[in-house]
Amino acid sequence: MKREKDFFDCFTEKDLEDRPSFCYKPFYRDGFVMATDLAIMVRAPYNSLQGVYDKSEQPKRIPDFPQPNCDFELPLASIVKTIKSIPEVEEVRVHGIDAECDECDGHGTVEWVYEDSDGEEHRKDFDCPICDGSGKVKTKKYLREWRCISINSTILSVRTLMKLAKAMDVAGFDTVNVKNLPEGYTPALMCLGDNIEVIIMPCSKESNPIREIKLVSCND
């Protein structure tokens, strides 16, 4: 595999402190090398790789890799084009529960802290300066990586698809084979080359996909 270390690094998560240690680097388990950030996971047979991988830090349980239920080809160019068509930051009108102010969690008040000249802190609740005490906002700014894309009927986050696209580019894969698109909250399965498998946890059915990719079966 081209750029083996860089490829596995695409699936790890080093920037979020709340992730367990096994999310920081690839690890060995049961004949495979795996890497995950808890939303996307890759595995490749150990005997097909060149690197040396840690066996000590790994999750207690590995999610099941599902059996194939479809056969689609998804070009890297289609993933990249769809992601780039989404604005990096977009202001969106919100309604219902989505309209709850993130600053005050919909309560309408925030706690202000004042430290006096003696170093003593004074705390008091005031109206939230973002929603003016209403607990609601009319619009919110959404980053590209927070949005979702529908692949046929399965909704996946842009963030995980960005990781997949980066890994494909690093290792020189032009196409990923989509082998399982779930209807419920089980992983989607994709394959790179002959022996590299990727699973991605889908978003909830309540998520609103901003773009759609329609795939046609390789057998059609």
Side-chain angles (χ1 to χ4, degrees), residues 1-2 4 7-8 28 31-33 43-51 53 192 194-197:
M1 182 198 305
K2 291 171 55 178
E4 184 176 304
F7 172 81
F8 281 111
Y28 173 90
F32 291 95
V33 174
R43 74 176 183 183
Y46 177 76
N47 59 14
S48 68
L49 303 171
Q50 302 297 318
Y53 297 93
L192 295 168
D194 296 328
N195 56 15
I196 301 173
E197 296 174 297

Side-chain angles (χ1 to χ4, degrees), residues 35-48:
T36 184
D37 69 354
L38 301 184
I40 186 171
M41 173 179 277
V42 63
R43 74 176 183 183
Y46 177 76
N47 59 14
S48 68

Side-chain angles (χ1 to χ4, degrees), residues 133-152:
S134 69
K136 298 284 187 178
V137 293
K138 294 181 178 179
T139 63
K140 286 185 179 179
K141 289 184 178 180
Y142 285 84
L143 300 180
R144 174 187 285 164
E145 54 264 36
W146 298 351
R147 314 307 291 272
C148 297
I149 293 173
S150 173
I151 298 181
N152 290 6

